[in-house]
Amino acid sequence: MTTPAPTPAPKSMDDIMALCKRRGFVYQASEIYGGINGFWDYGPLGTLLKKNLRDAWWNDVVMFPCWGRKGPTDERVSIVPVDTCIIQNPRVWVASGHAAGFADPMRKCPGCGHFVRADHLWDILATQSEWLSSLLQEFTPITGEIDTPRLIKWARGRGKRVAPHLALVKQPEVVLSFLATRVNGQPDAPPDLQEIVRYIATAQLHATGLQDPCPRCGAPLGKPSAFKLMFESWAGVVQDDDHRVYLRPETAQGIFVQFKNVVDTTRVRAPFGIAQTGKSFRNEVTPRNFTFRSREFEQMEIEFFCHESEAMAWYAFWRDWRMEWWKSLGLAGDNLILREHEKDELAHYSKATSDIEYCFPFTSPGFGELEGVAYRGNFDLTQHQQHSGVKLDYFDTDRGELLPNGSRKGERYIPHVIEPSAGLDRGVLALLCEAYTKDDSRPSPEFMKFHPRVAPIKAAVFPLVNKDGMPEVADRLHADLSRAFGRQGLIETDAKQSIGKRYARMDEAGCPFCFTIDGETLKDQTVTLRDRDTGAQQRVGIDKVVGLVGDALSTSG
RNA sequence: GCGGGUGUAGCUCAGUGGUAGAGCGUCACGUUGCCAACGUGAAUGUCGUCGGUUCAAGUCCGAUCACCCGCUCCA
């Protein structure tokens, strides 16, 4: 009989949040004032962790793109950075589509959950509602006379399928009797179509008054309420609509808006990418799940511009490499998946999209998005070209027919775009969840298994006891390590309290290596290297320590 | 937005209308010779906030804020 491998206990989000607070990774924003919904601050260790993740992205995307790997066109990947403003000309958000759909009063459907623009409800009902156009065929043309048996038949048959939540479908007799009362009660003022539709959407006329139906499922819509995705402010002294500005809901638009400047001023040649990290803001309806859905968050976005004929190849390239990148930071195994979107999931302009998703404790057994890799066609540049009136095409001198002189004629086109868009705060949260480990058999049951590259504390040096020359040796080693790696992360040293307590503290902070100076060190120049994940100890020469830490920090690709 | 739950020390939590508590952690001193060791001591609280009932509220009532869970949503 074989003993099954012990399945690790599911990680508790409560435990992770407690550790995050206790060790200074994440604090509630404005906590002493009772907090503020949807906002979180990072403490010292969290700030370092986030910086390390952002730096890893920056170094691997901007400074040394894709670890030097060649793209599908067999050229090295070319990326340049920009840093654009959170506040842009408001017309940017008109062009991008962020302003239009979500600045207006919306009505929510309790049946199918969809939002409908209040001011377009009757247009949508008239032109896009499957159930209403089906139902209208049951009315006698022109006179609009109501054929009760025919309507009941519709309600019990087709209506059940196309408008399951419509009052007429749920309670046909009641609804039609109200309608008949109305028609017969005021024969001189027959109801118009709108009024009839409201009647058939109403189950309890006296209790609720006439209702407006959802165009999709027929359920009575809720009250209109402003549903503004974007935070607003005013630029300048006058706080009126003419001076209204918005905090960006994504960093991508700043890239598109500066596309022409980058092309004109930097010698980039397609295919190439523009990268940017920065804060974005969304007035989420329901901030939830710790920092996962926050109203203020940081993104790491690439817009990669290429010819349409190469776009799908680049899409596959970026999708696969981004997945590898997350894996290289320790999010390996079953907790990370690449999920290709189904056709009906795609935005109308997107030809393909994948999500890189992590199995968070609060989504488990489901997954939550870390990064979306989207092939957006040339939708964004086209939109900005139309709205700004400025040409945003690209003249590609490597394309077009071969001329007698050996050069190409060139081709003018609006580039297609692959957008790998990652959530930095979500990445940090995934690193925290992945790293959190509980093992009650250890002296330090809770510890953080950070990859050395993202670990806020890279190494710690302890004198076993605070005397006999050990502190002096520890100070020297600490100084050496600090000189070598102090710019990448913290190097700790601590001579107080028992060695076990010092190890345990480092475990909770996720420090991968502890070096302990003991009596033997003074004789043979070796120190104890204590491994965070296993607790195993080995002796290494004190002169090997810097190289050893360096090796652990330099791994990538 | 709806429903359920929670809120007391840095963390985890006890607390019966009548003096604000424990464990862990933190800090100091001593001891200590590789795993939250031991001893002694110390600091830490407007009991989420506001209001009400009461002689008296952490405790009962109301409101509000925040967090967690489930639905919903995420252009």
Side-chain angles (χ1 to χ4, degrees):
Chain A
M1 216 172 101
T2 54
T3 325
T7 47
K11 299 179 185 184
S12 145
M13 210 56 215
D14 286 346
D15 290 345
I16 293 172
M17 289 168 66
L19 186 143
C20 280
K21 170 75 185 290
R22 191 164 72 236
R23 289 298 169 189
F25 284 99
V26 179
Y27 306 133
Q28 203 179 356
S30 323
E31 187 181 295
I32 62 171
Y33 289 100
I36 175 168
N37 192 351
F39 297 87
W40 298 87
D41 292 342
Y42 290 95
L45 288 186
T47 304
L48 288 165
L49 178 63
K50 180 171 171 177
K51 177 194 176 294
N52 289 344
L53 181 58
R54 190 197 296 110
D55 285 354
W57 185 91
W58 189 262
N59 287 328
D60 294 350
V61 166
V62 178
M63 304 311 291
F64 185 48
C66 310
W67 306 321
R69 190 172 294 187
K70 288 182 174 175
T73 50
D74 206 36
E75 297 168 85
R76 278 195 303 277
V77 180
S78 162
I79 305 273
V80 294
V82 294
D83 188 345
T84 67
C85 282
I86 286 168
I87 291 175
Q88 301 277 341
N89 185 306
R91 291 170 59 207
V92 168
W93 311 114
V94 177
S96 69
H98 291 88
F102 277 72
D104 302 292
M106 304 293 281
R107 302 184 65 173
K108 192 183 172 186
C109 171
C112 61
H114 274 256
F115 282 95
V116 183
R117 274 186 69 166
D119 55 339
H120 287 184
L121 173 63
W122 293 100
D123 280 350
I124 294 169
L125 277 169
T127 58
Q128 293 172 31
S129 172
E130 187 189 353
W131 66 260
L132 184 56
S133 61
S134 160
L135 180 62
L136 284 177
Q137 292 166 17
E138 308 300 323
F139 283 90
T140 314
I142 304 169
T143 64
E145 243 172 71
I146 293 158
D147 183 339
T148 303
R150 200 169 160 188
L151 291 179
I152 289 182
K153 191 182 163 204
W154 180 88
R156 299 208 164 120
R158 187 167 165 86
K160 270 208 160 93
R161 274 179 291 123
V162 294
H165 298 121
L166 187 67
L168 175 68
V169 169
K170 288 180 153 174
Q171 302 177 37
E173 290 86 358
V174 177
V175 168
L176 288 172
S177 77
F178 278 131
L179 184 55
T181 306
R182 163 67 179 81
V183 171
N184 299 333
Q186 298 165 271
D188 297 338
D192 62 10
L193 179 61
Q194 189 165 324
E195 194 176 353
I196 292 174
V197 169
R198 298 182 77 200
Y199 263 97
I200 63 171
T202 304
Q204 297 175 302
L205 180 62
H206 302 305
T208 63
L210 285 175
Q211 302 278 309
D212 298 329
C214 168
R216 285 175 48 134
C217 72
L221 288 174
K223 287 202 174 73
S225 60
F227 185 90
K228 298 195 174 184
L229 169 87
M230 288 191 287
F231 287 96
E232 300 179 357
S233 189
W234 299 271
V237 187
V238 185
Q239 302 196 344
D240 62 17
D241 283 350
D242 291 343
H243 298 82
R244 193 178 301 283
V245 293
Y246 302 93
L247 308 193
R248 68 181 171 203
E250 61 175 36
T251 53
Q253 298 306 322
I255 295 178
F256 293 124
V257 165
Q258 292 295 0
F259 169 78
K260 182 176 158 56
N261 273 337
V262 171
V263 168
D264 288 349
T265 59
T266 66
R267 301 190 73 212
V268 287
R269 293 162 71 91
F272 73 98
I274 304 179
Q276 170 167 227
T277 68
K279 285 281 182 81
S280 291
F281 304 82
R282 293 186 192 184
N283 196 5
E284 295 287 354
V285 181
T286 314
R288 199 60 82 83
N289 289 326
F290 201 30
T291 60
F292 183 77
R293 176 163 292 127
S294 301
R295 290 181 166 141
E296 174 174 345
F297 58 99
E298 188 160 347
Q299 295 182 291
M300 307 183 291
E301 292 200 296
I302 307 165
E303 304 299 335
F304 193 81
F305 302 95
C306 62
H307 190 268
E308 181 175 9
S309 63
E310 294 169 353
M312 280 310 286
W314 276 109
Y315 164 73
F317 172 85
W318 279 109
R319 176 195 63 197
D320 296 343
W321 182 71
R322 292 304 303 151
M323 183 72 180
E324 269 188 67
W325 185 82
W326 285 108
K327 282 184 183 169
S328 79
L329 297 173
L331 301 185
D334 296 340
N335 281 341
L336 193 72
I337 58 163
L338 182 66
R339 191 177 65 82
E340 195 92 27
H341 281 208
E342 305 292 331
K343 272 243 163 63
D344 60 1
E345 227 180 321
L346 295 174
H348 64 91
Y349 47 77
S350 177
K351 304 211 164 80
T353 298
S354 299
D355 283 346
I356 294 168
E357 299 181 332
Y358 181 75
C359 184
F360 292 95
F362 50 80
T363 58
S364 180
F367 289 75
E369 182 184 346
L370 281 186
E371 173 160 355
V373 181
Y375 172 20
R376 298 174 64 87
N378 59 9
F379 174 78
D380 303 276
L381 288 177
T382 305
Q383 286 292 109
H384 286 297
Q385 176 168 291
Q386 278 170 8
H387 282 79
S388 67
V390 174
K391 281 265 184 209
L392 296 179
D393 53 12
Y394 173 79
F395 188 68
D396 191 333
T397 53
D398 293 330
R399 291 181 181 275
E401 61 188 75
L402 200 55
L403 298 176
N405 68 2
S407 67
R408 295 273 176 180
K409 187 178 175 201
E411 179 184 344
R412 193 172 290 281
Y413 57 89
I414 297 182
H416 280 228
V417 169
I418 312 301
E419 178 188 81
S421 170
L424 176 53
D425 300 276
R426 287 181 175 190
V428 170
L429 185 57
L431 291 178
L432 285 166
C433 293
E434 181 76 15
Y436 179 86
T437 312
K438 194 164 190 179
D439 179 354
D440 288 323
S441 69
R442 287 166 56 110
S444 55
E446 287 179 291
F447 64 109
M448 299 299 277
K449 260 187 194 174
F450 292 124
H451 189 286
R453 198 171 172 209
V454 294
I457 304 174
K458 304 301 188 191
V461 182
F462 300 139
L464 185 59
V465 287
N466 199 14
K467 59 182 182 186
D468 300 339
M470 296 179 206
E472 291 76 6
V473 179
D475 279 349
R476 281 201 295 277
L477 182 56
H478 176 257
D480 289 346
L481 284 166
S482 298
R483 233 186 330 273
F485 309 113
R487 292 173 187 84
Q488 296 174 55
L490 298 176
I491 311 294
E492 298 271 284
T493 184
D494 184 2
K496 303 276 182 72
Q497 298 183 312
S498 75
I499 191 70
K501 186 169 286 196
R502 284 178 276 166
Y503 286 155
R505 261 199 288 257
M506 287 299 111
D507 283 347
E508 277 202 348
C511 169
F513 309 110
C514 292
F515 299 98
T516 302
I517 313 302
D518 56 20
E520 239 176 289
T521 309
L522 307 173
K523 290 177 219 150
D524 66 2
Q525 300 297 304
T526 62
V527 298
T528 301
L529 162 58
R530 184 263 190 186
D531 181 80
R532 174 195 64 203
D533 300 344
T534 62
Q537 301 188 0
Q538 63 180 102
R539 293 207 73 83
V540 299
I542 197 166
D543 55 335
K544 301 279 192 293
V545 167
V546 167
L548 200 147
V549 174
D551 288 348
L553 293 180
S554 66
T555 55
S556 73

